[in-house]
Amino acid sequence: MQDTIGISTDVSAPTGSGVVRGACPHDCPDTCALLTTVSDGVAIKVQGNPEHRATGGVLCTKVSRYTERTYHRDRILRPLRRAGPKGAGRFEPVSWDEALDDIAARLKIIAARDPQAILPYSYAGTMGLVQGESISARFFHKLGASLLDRTICSAAGGEALVQTLGGKVGMKVQFFAESKLVVIWGSNSIASNLHFWRVAQEAKRAGAKLICIDPRRTETAEKCHEHIQLLPGTDAALALAVMHELIVNDWLDHEYLRDHTLGWEAMRERALRWTPERAAQVCGVPVEQVRSLARDYGTIKPAAIRVNYGMQRVRGGGNAARAIVSLPALTGAWRHRAGGVLLSSSGMFPVDRAALQRPDLLAGRTPRTINMSTIGDDLLRPSSTAFGPKVEAVVVYNSNPVAVAPQSGKVVAGFAREDLFTVVLEHFQTDTADYADYILPATTQLEHWDIHLAYGHTDVTLNRPAIAPVGEAKPNTQVFRELARRMGFEDPCFEDSDLQLCRTAYGDKVDFDELVQEGFSPLAIPDAPFANGGFPTASGKCEFFSERLAREGLDGLPDHLPNYEPGGTSEVYPLAMISPPARNFLNSTFVNVTSLRDIEREPVLEINVQDAAARGIADGSVVRVFNDRGEYFCKAQVTDRARPGVVNGLGVWWRKFGPRGTNVNELTSQRLTDIGRAPVFYDCRVQVQAA
Ligand SMILES: Nc1nc2c(c(=O)[nH]1)N[C@H]1C(S)=C(S)[C@@H](COP(=O)(O)OP(=O)(O)OC[C@H]3O[C@@H](n4cnc5c(=O)[nH]c(N)nc54)[C@H](O)[C@@H]3O)O[C@H]1N2
Ligand SMILES: Nc1nc2c(c(=O)[nH]1)N[C@H]1C(S)=C(S)[C@@H](COP(=O)(O)OP(=O)(O)OC[C@H]3O[C@@H](n4cnc5c(=O)[nH]c(N)nc54)[C@H](O)[C@@H]3O)O[C@H]1N2
Ligand code: SF4
Ligand SMILES: [Mo]
């Protein structure tokens, strides 16, 4: 049963009527505060909380239709057991006891040989700290299962932030409204960070200039004053050329550089090699655009950069992020609360991960780590001394790897192994669930407790259950509690309730009573956190030069690293393909919500008129997009959203909704970024032909 606490304005039990405060669970920088209207135990409406500044009472199209997803007729309502060949997607209902008894028995047999043959696979299907990695992490730690390196999204940029600024820290988002120059770098804010776009609009109305840096002419790029449509994976070259111009024109804050940075002399020398001419050549943009970006950045104050993860999904993504987040230290932009840079704010939240996840339950064991971004190869690897035991069981929750992981041909082959035991905790029968031995019905955010951080603002949010679990669904936590009992794990920590876990997440760092009352609680952070330096690095300075990277044998200074697969350099596969998300999906979530799929209609490849004409491809025709890794079929959209030489394959569709059961990840590779071991989704060479 759920914990409940009585609050006058909220329903106190999930069978009542009223308005319940919650938080959007999705992997989106905005982490909106929600208000769910409940009538006789049924959620009838989900809205943005107008009292929460960062939400402003507005939700994106996806989540304003949340009840459609929650009560979807395809929702999995009972545990299901495979009743056909792997991947056929045929299942029969079983009771919870039958399912959990059998799963525990199977895991026990494998663990008796080597628990590292068991792999958890999870990501940010919910960003909740409780339904994410809490009881689940305790369970796998106690078991001694393989550890998962959760790299699939942000590891390159995240590690770059840590190596430069000392953590996932940056400007407070609301102060972009006071900036006079807003640079949106590698991000389609209107689609992926809607509430930031609202702030940028405020700045624009107050006279700010908006510049967008993106290979795709996105809906955001269109609405900025300027669009720098560079080639994918060339951002470091552009950032270094901006530094070059700041230096030669002396648009520098010498005092800030002297007092609050490390490695400036070496950085200066490196940047002086990046003339605007050289960068323009590498980036495929006019040299005057490079110069004018630098002039704007050097002379318009305060200047703020909103960089997002879109630019770090390439070989040199970590270096590029390091170069970009270094820029404000050159001009001293950090001195003003409306100056600086924001990539992620998640490191500012004082989450007590050890208390939630209990790594001490490993009791001295050090299991191997598997990188989630190479799951395709790793599921197909035999036992060896280097790798350890073959993976014999995977427990998937909060993720849909068959659709979202790179090189799906390999991922599918891995999950199709008849000797692999797969359990999937899900709301729906996703592409991954098709390959399960058991599918276990999970609750949605409207049905469970959770507590959140955010990566695009600095407020903690709390989510209360608004309705009782639909069907027989259980929270992830509850599934792992019940499995733990069956495995004979007796530690009392497996009995912690979800409400207790919500309190554990921040301990005494956050006023829990305020959270319960308001639904959100702003962190106490100075308005201009680095006005006087004080970066959370070892030196307390912005580290242009990273000692740790140098010790690892990497370049200690940021530089441009060309893509593994730049377009234009292969006659066989001459086009560079990026695959940013479609606006009305969230990664692969919502693809099965009919009203949203109706807006996106079908999988498309955007291709420039020049590239289309050269191949005899007509707008709206079906094309085959291919490389050595696979082929993908979709509709061509001939449009200037794509620049010549670059095609945009919008994702991430479920394979089963795509023509011939394919999606764009058939083409992406399992290579990893320079820093952070992350995937290179947007570093991918292809050819296109009429199908
Ligand atoms: N509607 C919607 N919102 C989302 C998501 C979603 O799937 N749908 N996903 C969520 C998730 S998981 C994340 S991590 C965030 C991501 O947040 P963002 O990174 O802001 O989101 P994207 O829209 O993926 O932006 C990527 C942009 O980067 C561009 N891009 C691609 N390659 C390059 C490059 O080499 N250089 C530069 N400068 N730009 C490049 C793409 O064209 C695209 O416009 O968004 C979150 N929000
Ligand atoms: N080609 C290409 N591939 C990409 C990207 C790209 O831009 N291009 N983007 C990448 C990025 S940025 C990311 S973050 C990854 C995202 O990859 P994933 O983290 O796998 O995200 P989703 O595809 O949204 O799948 C999340 C799943 O979790 C389920 N879920 C949600 N809440 C719960 C819950 O409470 N319990 C349980 N058990 N399940 C729940 C949802 O139903 C959904 O099926 O994809 C990556 N893949
Ligand atoms: S997906 Fe993002 S914009 Fe939409 S409701 Fe959730 S947090 Fe807000
Ligand atoms: Mo992501």
Side-chain angles (χ1 to χ4, degrees):
M1 203 53 234
Q2 304 278 333
D3 304 273
T4 57
I5 19 177
I7 296 289
S8 57
T9 52
D10 287 1
V11 285
S12 57
T15 46
S17 300
V19 176
V20 182
R21 292 167 204 270
C24 176
H26 289 292
D27 189 351
C28 167
D30 299 12
T31 309
C32 290
L34 306 180
L35 293 178
T36 301
T37 307
V38 184
S39 172
D40 293 329
V42 177
I44 51 176
K45 197 164 53 179
V46 178
Q47 291 166 293
N49 185 347
E51 288 162 21
H52 183 235
R53 189 193 156 120
T55 305
V58 180
L59 301 180
C60 63
T61 317
K62 308 177 287 294
V63 174
S64 44
R65 301 186 181 178
Y66 221 57
T67 53
E68 189 180 340
R69 185 173 188 275
T70 307
Y71 298 115
H72 197 296
R73 62 186 158 83
D74 297 340
R75 203 48 215 272
I76 294 171
L77 300 176
R78 301 186 57 184
L80 300 173
R81 179 168 60 202
R82 175 157 72 96
K86 276 265 168 161
R90 285 208 301 279
F91 293 90
E92 60 192 13
V94 289
S95 71
W96 270 107
D97 277 337
E98 256 181 292
L100 294 176
D101 287 347
D102 191 29
I103 293 166
R106 301 279 296 260
L107 294 182
K108 272 186 193 162
I109 293 170
I110 298 169
R113 288 194 294 269
D114 187 342
Q116 298 179 96
I118 300 168
L119 177 70
Y121 196 98
S122 67
Y123 199 63
T126 168
M127 293 218 306
L129 296 166
V130 172
Q131 304 307 332
E133 311 310 320
S134 68
I135 301 283
S136 56
R138 296 175 182 185
F139 178 85
F140 291 109
H141 284 148
K142 179 75 188 171
L143 189 61
S146 284
L147 301 172
L148 185 73
D149 198 3
R150 292 183 171 79
T151 56
I152 201 154
C153 167
S154 59
E159 188 61 20
L161 276 176
V162 170
Q163 295 304 328
T164 315
L165 306 182
K168 291 182 163 180
V169 296
M171 279 179 70
K172 289 173 94 167
V173 68
Q174 59 267 36
F175 297 129
F176 277 82
E178 300 166 10
S179 310
K180 289 296 168 220
L181 178 72
V182 177
V183 182
I184 300 178
W185 203 318
S187 177
N188 182 4
S189 317
I190 294 180
S192 317
N193 191 186
L194 182 64
H195 296 78
F196 168 75
W197 180 248
R198 287 161 53 87
V199 179
Q201 289 301 100
E202 267 183 66
K204 192 178 178 187
R205 280 193 298 272
K209 178 169 184 182
L210 269 49
I211 302 178
C212 183
I213 303 175
D214 196 309
R216 176 171 181 245
R217 189 158 179 80
T218 61
E219 41 283 61
T220 308
E222 262 165 7
K223 294 193 171 61
C224 288
H225 297 100
E226 222 178 285
H227 177 204
I228 303 183
Q229 199 169 7
L230 79 187
L231 288 165
T234 62
D235 301 272
L238 184 61
L240 287 160
V242 170
M243 288 189 197
H244 178 281
E245 293 297 280
L246 297 177
I247 296 166
V248 301
N249 293 291
D250 197 22
W251 291 321
L252 299 170
D253 182 331
H254 293 281
E255 272 172 41
Y256 199 92
L257 281 167
R258 184 192 65 209
D259 296 341
H260 307 305
T261 71
L262 188 80
W264 170 239
E265 268 315 304
M267 184 73 251
R268 185 176 177 279
E269 233 174 85
R270 170 72 53 91
L272 284 174
R273 291 190 223 148
W274 282 94
T275 60
E277 288 75 16
R278 182 177 174 206
Q281 174 87 31
V282 168
C283 300
V285 300
V287 65
E288 193 33 54
Q289 246 188 351
V290 179
R291 283 215 183 83
S292 93
L293 172 68
R295 188 180 320 116
D296 287 344
Y297 190 70
T299 59
I300 303 177
K301 284 166 200 231
I305 303 174
R306 180 57 165 122
V307 54
N308 217 321
Y309 289 117
M311 47 64 58
Q312 46 101 64
R313 311 192 197 290
V314 294
R315 176 187 172 211
N319 265 277
R322 290 199 72 225
I324 295 165
V325 305
S326 291
L327 289 170
L330 273 74
T331 57
W334 289 117
R335 289 189 192 277
H336 196 292
R337 69 179 188 179
V341 59
L342 176 63
L343 169 52
S344 168
S345 57
S346 66
M348 295 161 115
F349 290 79
V351 179
D352 190 347
R353 289 216 161 68
L356 282 174
Q357 304 177 357
R358 299 290 308 273
D360 56 294
L361 294 168
L362 282 168
R365 294 166 297 176
T366 50
R368 60 138 175 235
T369 298
I370 286 185
N371 186 342
M372 71 187 303
S373 302
T374 53
I375 186 71
D377 279 345
D378 289 338
L379 286 181
L380 296 172
R381 249 186 253 287
S383 301
S384 71
T385 22
F387 180 62
K390 178 157 101 173
V391 178
E392 290 184 69
V394 188
V395 182
V396 181
Y397 52 103
N398 305 338
S399 186
N400 183 11
V402 169
V404 305
Q407 203 175 359
S408 5
K410 291 273 182 81
V411 184
V412 168
F415 276 103
R417 273 174 45 199
E418 281 292 338
D419 65 339
L420 181 74
F421 179 62
T422 303
V423 178
V424 177
L425 284 65
E426 253 301 349
H427 302 147
F428 294 104
Q429 193 175 328
T430 59
D431 289 338
T432 305
D434 279 342
Y435 288 86
D437 292 281
Y438 281 99
I439 310 178
L440 303 178
T443 45
T444 69
Q445 190 80 341
L446 300 191
E447 301 149 60
H448 55 225
W449 281 101
D450 220 326
I451 191 164
H452 289 255
L453 48 65
Y455 59 104
H457 63 68
T458 44
D459 306 328
V460 175
T461 43
L462 181 74
N463 185 71
R464 303 159 59 95
I467 56 170
V470 176
E472 295 179 21
K474 291 183 197 276
N476 294 341
T477 43
Q478 187 58 21
V479 174
F480 288 105
R481 270 183 210 110
E482 294 184 21
L483 275 176
R485 208 171 299 141
R486 285 171 170 82
M487 300 295 287
F489 298 166
E490 284 168 355
D491 312 63
C493 74
F494 288 106
E495 297 305 321
D496 286 357
S497 71
D498 287 3
L499 184 55
Q500 269 170 296
L501 291 165
C502 286
R503 287 182 185 273
T504 301
Y506 292 98
D508 57 8
K509 301 270 183 6
V510 166
D511 182 344
F512 200 74
D513 295 331
E514 181 190 335
L515 257 184
V516 167
Q517 287 295 336
E518 306 294 330
F520 59 89
S521 166
L523 297 176
I525 294 168
D527 286 352
F530 310 118
N532 299 303
F535 292 94
T537 50
S539 63
K541 299 180 172 186
C542 168
E543 300 193 347
F544 299 128
F545 181 80
S546 161
E547 181 106 25
R548 207 182 97 198
L549 291 178
R551 264 205 313 274
E552 285 171 20
L554 299 167
D555 196 340
L557 289 172
D559 204 355
H560 168 63
L561 285 172
N563 276 4
Y564 291 118
E565 303 187 6
T569 52
S570 156
E571 277 173 35
V572 195
Y573 305 121
L575 298 169
M577 184 188 76
I578 58 172
S579 48
R583 181 173 177 178
N584 292 288
F585 302 149
L586 204 135
N587 300 319
S588 77
T589 304
F590 297 105
V591 178
N592 64 326
V593 175
T594 315
S595 74
L596 294 170
R597 196 168 68 244
D598 285 349
I599 307 176
E600 295 297 340
R601 294 173 55 182
E602 65 219 325
V604 296
L605 184 83
E606 295 173 346
I607 184 166
N608 186 271
V609 63
Q610 251 170 267
D611 293 323
R615 290 165 177 77
I617 291 167
D619 187 40
S621 64
V622 176
V623 287
R624 171 176 176 253
V625 193
F626 61 101
N627 60 22
D628 287 340
R629 290 178 288 269
E631 55 181 12
Y632 167 49
F633 295 86
C634 60
K635 279 251 173 91
Q637 246 171 35
V638 180
T639 165
D640 71 357
R641 288 203 184 282
R643 57 164 286 163
V646 181
V647 288
N648 313 324
L650 302 191
V652 180
W653 280 77
W654 287 16
R655 294 162 59 83
K656 59 179 118 184
F657 288 122
R660 307 198 204 179
T662 57
N663 83 7
V664 73
N665 279 320
E666 289 281 345
L667 306 173
T668 51
S669 84
Q670 293 181 77
R671 289 171 120 157
L672 301 176
T673 50
D674 52 351
I675 301 174
R677 310 163 304 282
V680 293
F681 290 115
Y682 304 166
D683 182 345
C684 175
R685 184 149 68 188
V686 301
Q687 180 55 295
V688 184
Q689 61 179 207

